[in-house]
Amino acid sequence: MEKDVLILEDVTIRFAGDSGDGMQLTGSQFTNSTALAGNDLSTLPDYPAEIRAPAGTLYGVSGFQLHFSNSDIQTPGDSPDVLVAMNPAALKVNLKDLKKNATIIVNTSAFDAKNLKLAHYDVNPLEDDSLEGFEVVQVPLTQLTMSALESVSISIKEKERCKNFFALGLMYWLYSRPIEATVDWIDEKFGKLPLILEANKKALMAGYYFGENTELFTSRFHIEPAKLAAGTYRNISGNEATALGFIAASVKCNLPLFLGSYPITPASDILHELSRHRNFGVKTFQAEDEIAAIAATIGAAYAGSLAITTTSGPGLALKTEAVGLAVMTELPIVIVNVQRGGPSTGLPTKTEQADLLQSVYGRNGEAPVCVLAAATPADCFDMAVEASRIAIKYMTPVIMLTDGYLGNGSEPWKIPPADSIPEIPVHFAKADKEFHPYERDENLSRPWAKPGTPGLEHRIGGLEKAHITGHVSYDPDNHHFMINMRQDKINKIQQDIPDLEVRGDQSGELLVLGWGGTYGAITEAVTKATKVGYKVSQAHLRHLNPFPGNLEKVLRSFKKILIPEINLGQLAKLIRMEYLIDVHSYNVVRGLPFKASDIEQKIIQMLGEKK
Amino acid sequence: MSDKTSVIETHKLTAKDFASSQDVRWCPGCGDYSILAQMQRVSPDLGIPKEKFVWVSGIGCSSRFPYYMDTYGFHGIHGRALAIASGVKIANPDLSVWVATGDGDCLSIGGNHFIHTCRRNMDLKVLLFNNKIYGLTKGQYSPTSEKGKKTKSTPFGSIDYPFNPIAVTLGVDATFVARSIDRDPKHLQAMMQRAAKHSGTAFIEIYQNCNIFNDGAFLDFTEKDRKADNIIIMEHGKPLVFGKANDKGIVLDGFNPKVVDLSEGKYSVNDVWVHDEFDRNPARATILSHFTEMEGFPVPFGVFRQIEKSTYDGDTHDQIEGYIKVKGKGDLDKLFMSGNTWTVE
């Protein structure tokens, strides 16, 4: 039966099931194939902290949301058009997020008494009117998978685990995606387990052909490739982009890359990625704890490496004292904080922006550091290079902020030619003149003297240093001088960073100012509000300490400033404090990215409903 | 091109070349002076160019050590010396990295790093200045203070059992474990020389007198009248005998050591346990490590155990070289283009 093909502009799909159902894998495979189909896309993995929460429970539901389109898109989508629910709990947890009239594809095989009870359903929602208004497509996914695998001699459990590939195949058919990349992936992944390989491939194909043959679907959909700027693209997550950015920086500064790290969600993928690239001379050191990780990083920087450490909020808290040591010894290190929900252990797998003040101020003493924040998953690449450049040029620790959404989320990355990335000059001290470890250059940076260089033997450490000589000094005037010197050095970076760009009118009624991972949601909100006639401009900070030099001028060009943040107003505090300019904070701290529509509503509220 | 011969260092370095310009600020009479002097004495003859020495420390009296050595030096933060030193060594395995640490720095706040550094066999030389007291914070008990010790923070006597650093290092299969003392310069120098030549974590516990807060803690091991009966010098291949007239020995009865009198005729030196520093089995060295807690037993000095294992920093280097051989040197463009890509015209 030939089916109609309907052309869509964009679609948001959410895959949801048990943490053990392979939803993240299904989602990332679908993403990969969608990228290859040439669509623009943005993803939002959303999973519980428990690795395998008890099956069927509400708190064990794992989801993966993907927004793809024939044009430029900024967010993983506010609310899904399509939900694939592998069990009753997945349906219950996700139902409230769906668009009106959304399509729900349910795995009816999982809607038995036990699972309904685990999901706290008194009545089967497929049998009452609770799903009215949605287009519900009932597919016995598990059962169909089992029959498709009848001839494969693996256990029943192993067969059942293939149901995500059946669902994936069905969605590939429904949205006209290429299937080959997943077939190749299965071949590679299960090369040593021929029966599992066969089963997964069969399930995938069975799902695909089921779509073609069933009468449940009268039509399938097609989304034209997006008209992205010319170039070669790949799909990339923020954590991958961060890792590649540091490898690029290491090549560009011609120094070996050292990573000292302790596994922590959601930052571990950077460690995983970097540990694969030993042929770039990358030395990854999985330390015994967060403190050892940064301490070793400082040691490696002292020895002349491009040295970085990666962590998330609780880890940064543990590293605090050592960051101060790097400030005092003026060594170039980069600390990546993939922010997650806090305080304490908080929400390990969820996103948040609440470590800004911790990064700018959270140390004993006056201990200024440079703070940067990436705006999108692909921007993590550029910010890793930028963080490395600043750390080396100014001999300072740099904190690079990303977050769980950026780290795990992905988007197409326009691959830069390696030679388009500027070199990062490094000037190690030479023994050709008298050497003073705390003498300063025009950037106020002290010399970087590599152990092993004859004639430059010197001592540094956490005790206050005398100006120029670097000897231990308890002199009051020297301390006052050095406190100011360290601050001046960080302030000086302002002259070396780009001005803040304003999108839209350069002055006017309202500026929406953001930083970090809210870029996509703010951009979409401002674009939509502008389309319907509102006068609103947008600016996004990637340099947070110091701020860009023109920030005050930009702020004073607008009557109102709106700052949406996934915290209780940390950037707003900094802006008020620094410039005595009042701002409107918009704060939603739910462990999730902003919805663009919520920000749009806020914009409309501030500018007044159009008459 | 002319056939240049490399410049040969004609100036022979001396201990003085390893003394920095900084005034040494330890209390007069502190055991640290001796450790510093012995280190400066042995350094010129270790076959290591001066610029390749890196001294790393944490916090405490002992941790001021790097300031007084005219080498590369890094005075870190409390407890983290071994972690900082690990970073230095992994980054540049060509350096000879030494750590000066104390019983508080190494065993209390830095205990975790201590265990893991030894476990990894990171190629570091670790001098533990053990004075069994907190000096720089003015006299609280330390993890190696004896139970019952009265200090500023334990007016009723400490109720902590002391840490046995030698047993811990043996427990994580450290590859070089030794003990020495500030008041025996020759022995200390010999241990330092052996540590320098060892590949892997070389740990020396150095008993060090704090004449301000714990004066006389080691008199039993230094005073002529009683020293001989209280210590035993371990030497490879030699029987474990001690006493003024070498009239006492250690006999091993299964897992149980006992002190025997060699003058009575019941036991001869042939019955005495012969020390094997290179025994791959850590059991005997571990028995020796517990003599400090056993009534009537002498405290052992010397090398408890030395074994050969690959080092963390060496293995890192080998993995990189090995992978480059297989994959070729990293190429950024290839890296960026790996995985699934597509092109927009």
Side-chain angles (χ1 to χ4, degrees), chain B residues 181-258:
Chain B
I181 189 160
D182 54 0
R183 292 273 295 275
D184 189 345
K186 281 218 172 112
H187 188 264
L188 183 50
Q189 286 179 24
M191 292 300 110
M192 287 166 166
Q193 280 158 344
R194 284 196 56 182
K197 290 193 170 65
H198 178 72
S199 167
T201 310
F203 173 75
I204 311 175
E205 179 187 29
I206 305 169
Y207 284 160
Q208 170 250 320
N209 190 42
C210 171
N211 56 321
I212 305 297
F213 295 109
N214 201 18
D215 196 21
F218 306 109
L219 283 179
D220 281 350
F221 318 135
T222 58
E223 296 313 288
K224 271 204 176 132
D225 59 332
R226 51 195 137 136
K227 175 178 161 179
D229 288 325
N230 289 321
I231 70 170
I232 187 162
I233 303 289
M234 302 176 288
E235 286 180 276
H236 178 67
K238 300 216 172 137
L240 291 165
V241 293
F242 67 109
K244 258 183 207 141
N246 276 343
D247 53 350
K248 290 188 236 181
I250 309 291
V251 169
L252 206 49
D253 177 11
F255 290 116
N256 296 311
K258 57 183 181 185

Side-chain angles (χ1 to χ4, degrees), chain A residues 484-551:
Chain A
N484 280 284
M485 176 61 81
R486 286 185 286 265
Q487 184 64 55
D488 289 348
K489 183 173 82 169
I490 297 301
N491 294 348
K492 217 166 167 30
I493 297 169
Q494 192 175 68
Q495 296 166 16
D496 197 17
I497 58 175
D499 270 350
L500 181 63
E501 278 178 39
V502 177
R503 197 169 68 96
D505 293 341
Q506 299 300 298
S507 64
E509 193 71 25
L510 178 63
L511 174 76
V512 187
L513 179 69
W515 70 275
T518 53
Y519 175 79
I522 294 175
T523 304
E524 189 175 312
V526 168
T527 304
K528 282 190 173 158
T530 306
K531 257 188 195 157
V532 292
Y534 288 96
K535 288 275 184 205
V536 52
S537 303
Q538 179 194 1
H540 206 78
L541 288 165
R542 294 153 85 227
H543 295 84
L544 289 139
N545 196 41
F547 286 131
N550 69 331
L551 176 58

Side-chain angles (χ1 to χ4, degrees), chain A residues 130-141:
Chain A
S130 61
L131 300 179
E132 214 175 84
F134 296 106
E135 191 182 325
V136 181
V137 185
Q138 302 195 24
V139 186
L141 286 168

Side-chain angles (χ1 to χ4, degrees), chain A residues 32 35-36 38 228-235 244 247-248 251 258 276-289 291-292 295-296 298-300 302-303 305 321-322 325 329 331 381 412-413 415-418 421 449-454 456-463 465 471-472 474, chain B residues 20-22 25 50-54 64 66-78 80 83-93 95 109 112-114 116-117 119-120 122 312 315-317 319-321 323-324 327-333 335-345:
Chain A
N32 202 11
L36 292 176
L228 299 173
T232 301
Y233 288 79
R234 66 182 272 192
N235 185 53
L244 295 194
I247 293 176
V251 171
F258 176 93
R276 296 174 52 222
H277 301 294
R278 289 268 202 235
N279 60 327
F280 281 86
V282 178
K283 292 176 176 173
T284 51
F285 174 54
Q286 181 175 316
E288 57 273 26
D289 59 34
I291 300 172
I298 291 170
Y302 178 65
S305 292
E321 187 196 11
L325 177 66
T329 51
L331 285 168
F381 177 88
W413 175 48
I415 300 169
I421 302 162
K450 214 160 57 155
T453 316
L456 298 185
E457 291 85 355
H458 69 288
R459 276 66 55 193
I460 57 172
L463 286 169
K465 297 285 163 285
H471 293 324
V472 173
Y474 298 99
Chain B
S20 79
S21 64
Q22 299 297 294
R25 296 193 197 179
K50 191 179 151 188
E51 68 273 10
K52 293 208 169 159
F53 280 94
V54 180
R64 299 299 174 95
Y67 289 121
Y68 310 135
M69 292 291 292
D70 190 24
T71 63
Y72 283 92
F74 197 105
H75 181 211
I77 44 178
H78 204 14
R80 318 302 169 203
I84 295 167
S86 296
V88 173
K89 185 67 190 182
I90 299 167
N92 186 357
L95 300 169
I109 189 167
N112 197 28
H113 312 309
F114 175 54
H116 290 280
T117 302
R119 171 178 72 85
R120 292 188 184 106
M122 198 72 75
Y312 185 98
D315 287 348
T316 301
H317 183 263
Q319 272 196 356
I320 288 173
E321 291 303 309
Y323 196 52
I324 288 174
K327 285 277 281 195
K329 240 183 157 346
D331 176 289
L332 270 190
D333 284 312
L335 172 70
F336 294 169
M337 298 293 269
S338 57
N340 294 301
T341 62
W342 72 98
T343 300
V344 176
E345 300 295 335

